[in-house]
Amino acid sequence: MVDDAELKRILEEIKTIAVVGCSKDPAKDAHRVPKYMQFHGYRIIPVNPTATEILGERAYPSLNEVPIPYDAVDIFRPAADVPPIVDQAVHGPAKVIWMQLGIRHDEAARKGEAAGKIVIQSRCMMRDHARLFGGTILE
């Protein structure tokens, strides 16, 4: 379990976030959360095979196709889809693999941790950032 001091350190250190499952739909959390993070100074790299651009950034079909270095992978996909995403993430540059609120996959998390990644499960990056840094949650 990651405590608040560790969460704050992580959110201070990461600058670029690859968001797997980033949505084009402004009503979805998979759009609102990356938009909030972008508003607060993070670079967002959308990963969505059905989009060419989200939040003004070029979208990529998979993590393997992202040519830009990124510090964290934020996952907005059902738990059943997590293992192949983590497989890609462990071979990528991210130090952190973050599964959004309600998303857990303990076996994939263990694999990420065994590869030296910090793995966070079932937490909302936006809510943790807002709580720890006083950011206003975008509606």
Side-chain angles (χ1 to χ4, degrees):
M1 186 76 178
V2 180
D3 65 14
D4 281 354
E6 178 78 355
L7 283 173
K8 190 169 187 179
R9 184 190 64 74
I10 290 165
L11 291 168
E12 286 171 341
E13 289 180 3
I14 65 174
K15 304 292 180 222
T16 304
I17 306 164
V19 181
V20 179
C22 192
S23 178
K24 298 173 277 191
D25 183 349
K28 291 188 172 184
D29 288 341
H31 183 91
R32 289 177 53 244
V33 171
K35 182 178 178 180
Y36 167 93
M37 298 306 289
Q38 186 180 56
F39 180 78
H40 287 279
Y42 296 86
R43 175 151 188 214
I44 298 301
I45 301 171
V47 179
N48 180 329
T50 68
T52 55
E53 184 180 296
I54 302 172
L55 296 169
E57 293 280 352
R58 179 176 172 200
Y60 297 91
S62 72
L63 275 179
N64 286 340
E65 296 178 58
V66 175
I68 303 157
Y70 49 90
D71 306 308
V73 174
D74 191 11
I75 302 173
F76 278 96
R77 298 293 304 147
D81 295 349
V82 166
I85 296 166
V86 170
D87 287 344
Q88 291 179 42
V90 298
H91 292 84
K95 298 173 186 75
V96 178
I97 299 169
W98 191 303
M99 297 176 219
Q100 277 297 133
L101 193 60
I103 303 168
R104 292 191 69 85
H105 197 290
D106 293 336
E107 184 180 327
R110 283 190 295 275
K111 188 171 188 175
E113 289 166 349
K117 309 293 185 179
I118 297 167
V119 179
I120 297 168
Q121 297 192 83
S122 192
R123 294 196 73 118
C124 178
M125 190 179 281
M126 174 179 72
R127 293 191 187 286
D128 281 332
H129 184 279
R131 183 174 56 81
L132 295 169
F133 296 96
T136 301
I137 293 178
L138 305 175
E139 296 300 331

Short mmCIF file of all heavy atoms in Angstrom, two decimals, residues 62-127:
data_model
loop_
_atom_site.label_atom_id
_atom_site.label_comp_id
_atom_site.label_asym_id
_atom_site.label_seq_id
_atom_site.Cartn_x
_atom_site.Cartn_y
_atom_site.Cartn_z
N SER A 62 -1.02 1.85 -29.14
CA SER A 62 -0.58 1.02 -28.01
C SER A 62 0.65 1.67 -27.37
O SER A 62 1.29 2.54 -27.97
CB SER A 62 -0.22 -0.39 -28.49
OG SER A 62 0.98 -0.37 -29.23
N LEU A 63 0.96 1.23 -26.17
CA LEU A 63 2.17 1.73 -25.49
C LEU A 63 3.42 1.46 -26.32
O LEU A 63 4.33 2.29 -26.36
CB LEU A 63 2.34 1.07 -24.12
CG LEU A 63 1.60 1.65 -22.95
CD1 LEU A 63 1.89 0.83 -21.70
CD2 LEU A 63 1.95 3.10 -22.72
N ASN A 64 3.46 0.30 -26.97
CA ASN A 64 4.63 -0.06 -27.77
C ASN A 64 4.91 0.92 -28.89
O ASN A 64 6.02 1.00 -29.39
CB ASN A 64 4.47 -1.46 -28.37
CG ASN A 64 4.63 -2.55 -27.34
OD1 ASN A 64 5.20 -2.35 -26.28
ND2 ASN A 64 4.09 -3.72 -27.64
N GLU A 65 3.89 1.67 -29.31
CA GLU A 65 4.04 2.59 -30.43
C GLU A 65 4.30 4.03 -30.00
O GLU A 65 4.43 4.91 -30.85
CB GLU A 65 2.83 2.49 -31.34
CG GLU A 65 2.73 1.09 -31.96
CD GLU A 65 1.52 0.90 -32.82
OE1 GLU A 65 1.37 1.67 -33.78
OE2 GLU A 65 0.73 -0.01 -32.53
N VAL A 66 4.38 4.29 -28.70
CA VAL A 66 4.64 5.64 -28.21
C VAL A 66 6.14 5.93 -28.32
O VAL A 66 6.94 5.29 -27.64
CB VAL A 66 4.17 5.81 -26.74
CG1 VAL A 66 4.54 7.18 -26.21
CG2 VAL A 66 2.66 5.57 -26.63
N PRO A 67 6.54 6.91 -29.16
CA PRO A 67 7.96 7.19 -29.36
C PRO A 67 8.53 8.19 -28.35
O PRO A 67 9.73 8.45 -28.33
CB PRO A 67 8.00 7.78 -30.77
CG PRO A 67 6.69 8.50 -30.89
CD PRO A 67 5.71 7.66 -30.10
N ILE A 68 7.66 8.75 -27.52
CA ILE A 68 8.03 9.81 -26.57
C ILE A 68 8.28 9.17 -25.21
O ILE A 68 7.47 8.35 -24.75
CB ILE A 68 6.88 10.83 -26.45
CG1 ILE A 68 6.53 11.40 -27.83
CG2 ILE A 68 7.21 11.93 -25.46
CD1 ILE A 68 5.13 11.95 -27.91
N PRO A 69 9.36 9.52 -24.52
CA PRO A 69 9.55 8.98 -23.16
C PRO A 69 8.41 9.42 -22.22
O PRO A 69 7.94 10.55 -22.31
CB PRO A 69 10.88 9.58 -22.71
CG PRO A 69 11.55 10.06 -23.95
CD PRO A 69 10.45 10.40 -24.92
N TYR A 70 7.98 8.52 -21.37
CA TYR A 70 6.93 8.83 -20.40
C TYR A 70 7.33 8.27 -19.05
O TYR A 70 8.05 7.28 -18.96
CB TYR A 70 5.56 8.30 -20.86
CG TYR A 70 5.57 6.86 -21.31
CD1 TYR A 70 5.35 5.83 -20.41
CD2 TYR A 70 5.83 6.53 -22.64
CE1 TYR A 70 5.37 4.50 -20.82
CE2 TYR A 70 5.85 5.20 -23.05
CZ TYR A 70 5.62 4.20 -22.14
OH TYR A 70 5.66 2.88 -22.54
N ASP A 71 6.85 8.93 -18.00
CA ASP A 71 7.23 8.58 -16.63
C ASP A 71 6.25 7.64 -15.95
O ASP A 71 6.59 6.95 -15.00
CB ASP A 71 7.33 9.85 -15.77
CG ASP A 71 8.26 10.88 -16.39
OD1 ASP A 71 9.40 10.53 -16.71
OD2 ASP A 71 7.83 12.04 -16.55
N ALA A 72 5.00 7.67 -16.41
CA ALA A 72 3.96 6.86 -15.78
C ALA A 72 3.00 6.36 -16.84
O ALA A 72 2.81 6.99 -17.88
CB ALA A 72 3.20 7.68 -14.73
N VAL A 73 2.38 5.22 -16.54
CA VAL A 73 1.30 4.67 -17.36
C VAL A 73 0.06 4.69 -16.47
O VAL A 73 0.07 4.12 -15.38
CB VAL A 73 1.61 3.22 -17.81
CG1 VAL A 73 0.40 2.62 -18.54
CG2 VAL A 73 2.84 3.19 -18.69
N ASP A 74 -0.98 5.38 -16.93
CA ASP A 74 -2.25 5.43 -16.21
C ASP A 74 -3.24 4.59 -17.00
O ASP A 74 -3.48 4.85 -18.19
CB ASP A 74 -2.71 6.89 -16.11
CG ASP A 74 -3.87 7.09 -15.16
OD1 ASP A 74 -4.20 6.16 -14.40
OD2 ASP A 74 -4.44 8.20 -15.15
N ILE A 75 -3.80 3.56 -16.36
CA ILE A 75 -4.62 2.58 -17.06
C ILE A 75 -6.11 2.80 -16.79
O ILE A 75 -6.56 2.74 -15.64
CB ILE A 75 -4.22 1.14 -16.68
CG1 ILE A 75 -2.74 0.91 -17.00
CG2 ILE A 75 -5.11 0.12 -17.38
CD1 ILE A 75 -2.19 -0.42 -16.49
N PHE A 76 -6.86 3.03 -17.86
CA PHE A 76 -8.32 3.15 -17.84
C PHE A 76 -8.92 2.03 -18.69
O PHE A 76 -9.57 2.27 -19.69
CB PHE A 76 -8.76 4.49 -18.44
CG PHE A 76 -8.70 5.64 -17.52
CD1 PHE A 76 -7.59 6.47 -17.51
CD2 PHE A 76 -9.74 5.93 -16.66
CE1 PHE A 76 -7.52 7.56 -16.67
CE2 PHE A 76 -9.69 7.02 -15.82
CZ PHE A 76 -8.57 7.83 -15.82
N ARG A 77 -8.66 0.80 -18.34
CA ARG A 77 -9.18 -0.35 -19.05
C ARG A 77 -9.68 -1.36 -18.02
O ARG A 77 -9.19 -1.38 -16.89
CB ARG A 77 -8.11 -1.00 -19.93
CG ARG A 77 -7.53 -0.11 -21.03
CD ARG A 77 -8.54 0.25 -22.11
NE ARG A 77 -9.09 -0.97 -22.69
CZ ARG A 77 -10.34 -1.07 -23.14
NH1 ARG A 77 -11.16 -0.06 -23.08
NH2 ARG A 77 -10.77 -2.21 -23.65
N PRO A 78 -10.61 -2.23 -18.40
CA PRO A 78 -11.09 -3.24 -17.46
C PRO A 78 -9.93 -4.13 -16.97
O PRO A 78 -8.95 -4.33 -17.69
CB PRO A 78 -12.09 -4.06 -18.29
CG PRO A 78 -12.48 -3.17 -19.42
CD PRO A 78 -11.30 -2.29 -19.69
N ALA A 79 -10.08 -4.66 -15.78
CA ALA A 79 -9.03 -5.48 -15.17
C ALA A 79 -8.57 -6.61 -16.09
O ALA A 79 -7.38 -6.92 -16.14
CB ALA A 79 -9.51 -6.04 -13.83
N ALA A 80 -9.49 -7.20 -16.84
CA ALA A 80 -9.12 -8.30 -17.74
C ALA A 80 -8.14 -7.86 -18.83
O ALA A 80 -7.39 -8.67 -19.36
CB ALA A 80 -10.38 -8.91 -18.37
N ASP A 81 -8.14 -6.57 -19.15
CA ASP A 81 -7.25 -6.03 -20.19
C ASP A 81 -5.89 -5.60 -19.64
O ASP A 81 -5.00 -5.22 -20.41
CB ASP A 81 -7.89 -4.81 -20.87
CG ASP A 81 -9.15 -5.15 -21.65
OD1 ASP A 81 -9.44 -6.36 -21.85
OD2 ASP A 81 -9.86 -4.21 -22.05
N VAL A 82 -5.72 -5.63 -18.33
CA VAL A 82 -4.51 -5.09 -17.70
C VAL A 82 -3.23 -5.89 -17.99
O VAL A 82 -2.19 -5.28 -18.26
CB VAL A 82 -4.74 -4.90 -16.18
CG1 VAL A 82 -3.44 -4.66 -15.44
CG2 VAL A 82 -5.72 -3.75 -15.94
N PRO A 83 -3.23 -7.24 -17.95
CA PRO A 83 -1.95 -7.95 -18.11
C PRO A 83 -1.15 -7.59 -19.37
O PRO A 83 0.06 -7.30 -19.25
CB PRO A 83 -2.36 -9.43 -18.09
CG PRO A 83 -3.58 -9.44 -17.22
CD PRO A 83 -4.31 -8.17 -17.59
N PRO A 84 -1.75 -7.52 -20.57
CA PRO A 84 -0.91 -7.15 -21.72
C PRO A 84 -0.43 -5.70 -21.66
O PRO A 84 0.64 -5.38 -22.19
CB PRO A 84 -1.82 -7.39 -22.93
CG PRO A 84 -3.20 -7.54 -22.41
CD PRO A 84 -3.09 -7.94 -20.97
N ILE A 85 -1.19 -4.83 -21.01
CA ILE A 85 -0.76 -3.43 -20.86
C ILE A 85 0.46 -3.38 -19.94
O ILE A 85 1.45 -2.70 -20.22
CB ILE A 85 -1.91 -2.55 -20.31
CG1 ILE A 85 -3.06 -2.51 -21.32
CG2 ILE A 85 -1.40 -1.15 -19.99
CD1 ILE A 85 -4.37 -1.97 -20.76
N VAL A 86 0.40 -4.13 -18.84
CA VAL A 86 1.54 -4.18 -17.92
C VAL A 86 2.75 -4.81 -18.61
O VAL A 86 3.88 -4.35 -18.44
CB VAL A 86 1.17 -4.92 -16.61
CG1 VAL A 86 2.41 -5.20 -15.76
CG2 VAL A 86 0.16 -4.08 -15.81
N ASP A 87 2.51 -5.83 -19.44
CA ASP A 87 3.61 -6.44 -20.20
C ASP A 87 4.32 -5.39 -21.05
O ASP A 87 5.55 -5.35 -21.10
CB ASP A 87 3.11 -7.57 -21.10
CG ASP A 87 2.73 -8.83 -20.32
OD1 ASP A 87 3.12 -8.95 -19.13
OD2 ASP A 87 2.04 -9.69 -20.90
N GLN A 88 3.55 -4.53 -21.70
CA GLN A 88 4.15 -3.45 -22.50
C GLN A 88 4.84 -2.43 -21.59
O GLN A 88 5.93 -1.95 -21.90
CB GLN A 88 3.09 -2.76 -23.36
CG GLN A 88 2.55 -3.62 -24.48
CD GLN A 88 1.48 -2.91 -25.29
OE1 GLN A 88 1.61 -1.73 -25.59
NE2 GLN A 88 0.43 -3.63 -25.64
N ALA A 89 4.20 -2.11 -20.47
CA ALA A 89 4.73 -1.08 -19.56
C ALA A 89 6.07 -1.50 -18.94
O ALA A 89 6.95 -0.67 -18.75
CB ALA A 89 3.72 -0.76 -18.47
N VAL A 90 6.22 -2.79 -18.64
CA VAL A 90 7.49 -3.21 -18.01
C VAL A 90 8.67 -3.08 -18.97
O VAL A 90 9.81 -2.96 -18.53
CB VAL A 90 7.43 -4.64 -17.41
CG1 VAL A 90 6.39 -4.74 -16.31
CG2 VAL A 90 7.23 -5.70 -18.46
N HIS A 91 8.39 -3.06 -20.26
CA HIS A 91 9.46 -2.89 -21.25
C HIS A 91 9.62 -1.43 -21.66
O HIS A 91 10.52 -1.11 -22.44
CB HIS A 91 9.17 -3.76 -22.49
CG HIS A 91 9.28 -5.22 -22.19
ND1 HIS A 91 8.24 -5.94 -21.66
CD2 HIS A 91 10.30 -6.08 -22.30
CE1 HIS A 91 8.62 -7.19 -21.47
NE2 HIS A 91 9.87 -7.31 -21.85
N GLY A 92 8.77 -0.57 -21.14
CA GLY A 92 8.83 0.85 -21.49
C GLY A 92 9.56 1.66 -20.44
O GLY A 92 10.05 1.13 -19.44
N PRO A 93 9.62 2.99 -20.65
CA PRO A 93 10.40 3.86 -19.78
C PRO A 93 9.73 4.25 -18.46
O PRO A 93 10.38 4.81 -17.58
CB PRO A 93 10.60 5.11 -20.65
CG PRO A 93 9.39 5.14 -21.53
CD PRO A 93 9.06 3.70 -21.80
N ALA A 94 8.44 3.96 -18.29
CA ALA A 94 7.71 4.41 -17.10
C ALA A 94 8.26 3.80 -15.82
O ALA A 94 8.60 2.62 -15.78
CB ALA A 94 6.22 4.08 -17.22
N LYS A 95 8.33 4.61 -14.79
CA LYS A 95 8.71 4.15 -13.45
C LYS A 95 7.47 3.69 -12.68
O LYS A 95 7.56 2.95 -11.72
CB LYS A 95 9.40 5.27 -12.69
CG LYS A 95 10.69 5.76 -13.32
CD LYS A 95 11.19 7.00 -12.55
CE LYS A 95 12.38 7.63 -13.21
NZ LYS A 95 12.05 8.39 -14.42
N VAL A 96 6.30 4.22 -13.10
CA VAL A 96 5.05 4.00 -12.36
C VAL A 96 3.99 3.42 -13.28
O VAL A 96 3.80 3.89 -14.41
CB VAL A 96 4.54 5.35 -11.78
CG1 VAL A 96 3.21 5.16 -11.05
CG2 VAL A 96 5.58 5.97 -10.86
N ILE A 97 3.29 2.40 -12.77
CA ILE A 97 2.11 1.85 -13.44
C ILE A 97 0.94 2.11 -12.49
O ILE A 97 0.96 1.64 -11.36
CB ILE A 97 2.26 0.34 -13.72
CG1 ILE A 97 3.46 0.09 -14.65
CG2 ILE A 97 0.97 -0.22 -14.32
CD1 ILE A 97 3.85 -1.38 -14.78
N TRP A 98 -0.03 2.86 -12.95
CA TRP A 98 -1.14 3.31 -12.11
C TRP A 98 -2.44 2.79 -12.69
O TRP A 98 -2.78 3.12 -13.82
CB TRP A 98 -1.15 4.83 -12.07
CG TRP A 98 -2.04 5.46 -11.05
CD1 TRP A 98 -3.39 5.28 -10.90
CD2 TRP A 98 -1.66 6.40 -10.06
NE1 TRP A 98 -3.85 6.06 -9.87
CE2 TRP A 98 -2.80 6.76 -9.33
CE3 TRP A 98 -0.43 6.99 -9.71
CZ2 TRP A 98 -2.78 7.67 -8.30
CZ3 TRP A 98 -0.41 7.90 -8.67
CH2 TRP A 98 -1.58 8.23 -7.96
N MET A 99 -3.18 1.98 -11.92
CA MET A 99 -4.49 1.50 -12.34
C MET A 99 -5.53 2.37 -11.66
O MET A 99 -5.52 2.53 -10.44
CB MET A 99 -4.68 0.04 -11.95
CG MET A 99 -3.70 -0.90 -12.63
SD MET A 99 -3.89 -2.60 -12.03
CE MET A 99 -2.17 -3.11 -11.96
N GLN A 100 -6.42 2.93 -12.46
CA GLN A 100 -7.42 3.86 -11.95
C GLN A 100 -8.38 3.20 -10.96
O GLN A 100 -8.42 1.97 -10.85
CB GLN A 100 -8.19 4.49 -13.11
CG GLN A 100 -7.48 5.66 -13.74
CD GLN A 100 -7.27 6.84 -12.81
OE1 GLN A 100 -6.17 7.38 -12.74
NE2 GLN A 100 -8.27 7.26 -12.09
N LEU A 101 -9.14 4.02 -10.29
CA LEU A 101 -10.09 3.59 -9.27
C LEU A 101 -10.98 2.46 -9.82
O LEU A 101 -11.54 2.58 -10.90
CB LEU A 101 -10.96 4.78 -8.84
CG LEU A 101 -11.78 4.60 -7.59
CD1 LEU A 101 -10.90 4.31 -6.38
CD2 LEU A 101 -12.62 5.85 -7.34
N GLY A 102 -11.05 1.37 -9.07
CA GLY A 102 -11.87 0.23 -9.46
C GLY A 102 -11.14 -0.79 -10.31
O GLY A 102 -11.71 -1.83 -10.64
N ILE A 103 -9.89 -0.51 -10.69
CA ILE A 103 -9.14 -1.42 -11.54
C ILE A 103 -8.02 -2.06 -10.72
O ILE A 103 -7.17 -1.36 -10.17
CB ILE A 103 -8.55 -0.70 -12.77
CG1 ILE A 103 -9.68 -0.02 -13.57
CG2 ILE A 103 -7.77 -1.67 -13.65
CD1 ILE A 103 -9.18 0.95 -14.61
N ARG A 104 -8.09 -3.39 -10.61
CA ARG A 104 -7.08 -4.17 -9.88
C ARG A 104 -6.75 -5.42 -10.67
O ARG A 104 -7.65 -6.05 -11.24
CB ARG A 104 -7.60 -4.63 -8.52
CG ARG A 104 -7.83 -3.59 -7.49
CD ARG A 104 -8.08 -4.25 -6.13
NE ARG A 104 -6.87 -4.88 -5.64
CZ ARG A 104 -5.92 -4.25 -4.96
NH1 ARG A 104 -6.04 -2.99 -4.69
NH2 ARG A 104 -4.85 -4.90 -4.54
N HIS A 105 -5.49 -5.77 -10.65
CA HIS A 105 -5.07 -7.07 -11.19
C HIS A 105 -3.79 -7.43 -10.45
O HIS A 105 -2.70 -7.00 -10.82
CB HIS A 105 -4.85 -6.99 -12.70
CG HIS A 105 -4.83 -8.34 -13.34
ND1 HIS A 105 -3.79 -9.24 -13.13
CD2 HIS A 105 -5.72 -8.95 -14.16
CE1 HIS A 105 -4.05 -10.34 -13.81
NE2 HIS A 105 -5.21 -10.20 -14.43
N ASP A 106 -3.95 -8.21 -9.37
CA ASP A 106 -2.82 -8.49 -8.48
C ASP A 106 -1.67 -9.21 -9.18
O ASP A 106 -0.51 -8.91 -8.92
CB ASP A 106 -3.30 -9.28 -7.26
CG ASP A 106 -4.21 -8.46 -6.35
OD1 ASP A 106 -4.12 -7.21 -6.39
OD2 ASP A 106 -5.00 -9.07 -5.61
N GLU A 107 -1.98 -10.14 -10.06
CA GLU A 107 -0.92 -10.88 -10.75
C GLU A 107 -0.10 -9.93 -11.65
O GLU A 107 1.13 -9.95 -11.65
CB GLU A 107 -1.52 -12.00 -11.58
CG GLU A 107 -0.47 -12.88 -12.25
CD GLU A 107 -1.11 -14.00 -13.06
OE1 GLU A 107 -2.19 -14.49 -12.68
OE2 GLU A 107 -0.51 -14.36 -14.09
N ALA A 108 -0.80 -9.07 -12.39
CA ALA A 108 -0.10 -8.10 -13.25
C ALA A 108 0.69 -7.12 -12.38
O ALA A 108 1.81 -6.73 -12.74
CB ALA A 108 -1.10 -7.36 -14.13
N ALA A 109 0.13 -6.73 -11.24
CA ALA A 109 0.83 -5.80 -10.33
C ALA A 109 2.13 -6.44 -9.84
O ALA A 109 3.18 -5.77 -9.82
CB ALA A 109 -0.07 -5.44 -9.16
N ARG A 110 2.07 -7.71 -9.46
CA ARG A 110 3.29 -8.40 -9.01
C ARG A 110 4.33 -8.44 -10.12
O ARG A 110 5.52 -8.25 -9.87
CB ARG A 110 2.95 -9.81 -8.53
CG ARG A 110 2.33 -9.83 -7.14
CD ARG A 110 2.23 -11.24 -6.57
NE ARG A 110 1.33 -12.11 -7.32
CZ ARG A 110 0.01 -12.17 -7.13
NH1 ARG A 110 -0.56 -11.42 -6.21
NH2 ARG A 110 -0.73 -12.99 -7.86
N LYS A 111 3.89 -8.66 -11.34
CA LYS A 111 4.80 -8.69 -12.48
C LYS A 111 5.46 -7.32 -12.68
O LYS A 111 6.67 -7.23 -12.91
CB LYS A 111 4.05 -9.10 -13.75
CG LYS A 111 4.96 -9.34 -14.93
CD LYS A 111 4.17 -9.94 -16.09
CE LYS A 111 5.11 -10.35 -17.19
NZ LYS A 111 4.41 -11.04 -18.27
N GLY A 112 4.68 -6.26 -12.57
CA GLY A 112 5.22 -4.91 -12.69
C GLY A 112 6.22 -4.61 -11.59
O GLY A 112 7.30 -4.06 -11.84
N GLU A 113 5.87 -4.98 -10.36
CA GLU A 113 6.78 -4.74 -9.23
C GLU A 113 8.06 -5.56 -9.38
O GLU A 113 9.15 -5.07 -9.07
CB GLU A 113 6.07 -5.06 -7.91
CG GLU A 113 5.00 -4.03 -7.58
CD GLU A 113 4.05 -4.46 -6.47
OE1 GLU A 113 4.05 -5.65 -6.07
OE2 GLU A 113 3.30 -3.58 -5.99
N ALA A 114 7.94 -6.80 -9.86
CA ALA A 114 9.12 -7.65 -10.06
C ALA A 114 10.07 -7.04 -11.10
O ALA A 114 11.27 -7.27 -11.06
CB ALA A 114 8.70 -9.05 -10.48
N ALA A 115 9.50 -6.24 -12.01
CA ALA A 115 10.31 -5.58 -13.04
C ALA A 115 10.85 -4.23 -12.54
O ALA A 115 11.46 -3.49 -13.31
CB ALA A 115 9.48 -5.38 -14.30
N GLY A 116 10.60 -3.91 -11.25
CA GLY A 116 11.15 -2.69 -10.69
C GLY A 116 10.26 -1.46 -10.81
O GLY A 116 10.69 -0.34 -10.52
N LYS A 117 9.01 -1.66 -11.21
CA LYS A 117 8.08 -0.55 -11.34
C LYS A 117 7.32 -0.33 -10.04
O LYS A 117 7.09 -1.27 -9.28
CB LYS A 117 7.07 -0.80 -12.47
CG LYS A 117 7.67 -1.21 -13.80
CD LYS A 117 8.48 -0.11 -14.45
CE LYS A 117 8.96 -0.54 -15.84
NZ LYS A 117 9.72 0.48 -16.53
N ILE A 118 6.93 0.90 -9.79
CA ILE A 118 6.00 1.20 -8.70
C ILE A 118 4.61 0.95 -9.28
O ILE A 118 4.27 1.49 -10.34
CB ILE A 118 6.13 2.66 -8.24
CG1 ILE A 118 7.52 2.92 -7.67
CG2 ILE A 118 5.03 3.01 -7.23
CD1 ILE A 118 7.83 4.40 -7.48
N VAL A 119 3.81 0.14 -8.61
CA VAL A 119 2.48 -0.19 -9.11
C VAL A 119 1.44 0.29 -8.09
O VAL A 119 1.52 -0.03 -6.91
CB VAL A 119 2.33 -1.70 -9.37
CG1 VAL A 119 0.92 -2.02 -9.87
CG2 VAL A 119 3.37 -2.17 -10.37
N ILE A 120 0.49 1.05 -8.59
CA ILE A 120 -0.61 1.56 -7.77
C ILE A 120 -1.89 1.00 -8.37
O ILE A 120 -2.10 1.07 -9.58
CB ILE A 120 -0.61 3.10 -7.78
CG1 ILE A 120 0.68 3.61 -7.14
CG2 ILE A 120 -1.85 3.64 -7.08
CD1 ILE A 120 0.94 5.08 -7.33
N GLN A 121 -2.76 0.45 -7.51
CA GLN A 121 -4.00 -0.14 -7.98
C GLN A 121 -5.20 0.56 -7.35
O GLN A 121 -5.17 0.96 -6.20
CB GLN A 121 -4.06 -1.63 -7.62
CG GLN A 121 -2.99 -2.48 -8.26
CD GLN A 121 -3.30 -3.95 -8.08
OE1 GLN A 121 -4.08 -4.51 -8.86
NE2 GLN A 121 -2.71 -4.57 -7.08
N SER A 122 -6.25 0.67 -8.15
CA SER A 122 -7.56 1.15 -7.71
C SER A 122 -7.50 2.49 -6.97
O SER A 122 -8.05 2.64 -5.88
CB SER A 122 -8.27 0.09 -6.85
OG SER A 122 -9.63 0.45 -6.67
N ARG A 123 -6.81 3.45 -7.59
CA ARG A 123 -6.75 4.81 -7.05
C ARG A 123 -6.94 5.78 -8.19
O ARG A 123 -6.46 5.55 -9.29
CB ARG A 123 -5.41 5.10 -6.39
CG ARG A 123 -5.15 4.25 -5.15
CD ARG A 123 -4.03 4.84 -4.37
NE ARG A 123 -4.48 6.04 -3.70
CZ ARG A 123 -4.51 6.21 -2.39
NH1 ARG A 123 -4.11 5.25 -1.60
NH2 ARG A 123 -4.91 7.33 -1.86
N CYS A 124 -7.60 6.89 -7.92
CA CYS A 124 -7.80 7.92 -8.93
C CYS A 124 -6.67 8.94 -8.85
O CYS A 124 -6.50 9.60 -7.83
CB CYS A 124 -9.15 8.61 -8.75
SG CYS A 124 -9.41 9.92 -9.95
N MET A 125 -5.90 9.05 -9.93
CA MET A 125 -4.78 9.98 -9.97
C MET A 125 -5.25 11.42 -9.75
O MET A 125 -4.61 12.19 -9.04
CB MET A 125 -4.05 9.85 -11.32
CG MET A 125 -2.73 10.58 -11.38
SD MET A 125 -1.89 10.38 -12.98
CE MET A 125 -1.18 8.74 -12.80
N MET A 126 -6.39 11.79 -10.35
CA MET A 126 -6.92 13.14 -10.20
C MET A 126 -7.30 13.42 -8.74
O MET A 126 -6.94 14.46 -8.19
CB MET A 126 -8.14 13.33 -11.11
CG MET A 126 -8.86 14.65 -10.93
SD MET A 126 -10.28 14.86 -12.05
CE MET A 126 -11.46 13.71 -11.33
N ARG A 127 -8.02 12.51 -8.14
CA ARG A 127 -8.46 12.74 -6.75
C ARG A 127 -7.28 12.79 -5.78
O ARG A 127 -7.25 13.61 -4.88
CB ARG A 127 -9.47 11.68 -6.32
CG ARG A 127 -10.76 11.79 -7.09
CD ARG A 127 -11.86 10.94 -6.52
NE ARG A 127 -13.03 10.94 -7.37
CZ ARG A 127 -13.89 11.95 -7.49
NH1 ARG A 127 -13.70 13.04 -6.82
NH2 ARG A 127 -14.93 11.87 -8.29
#
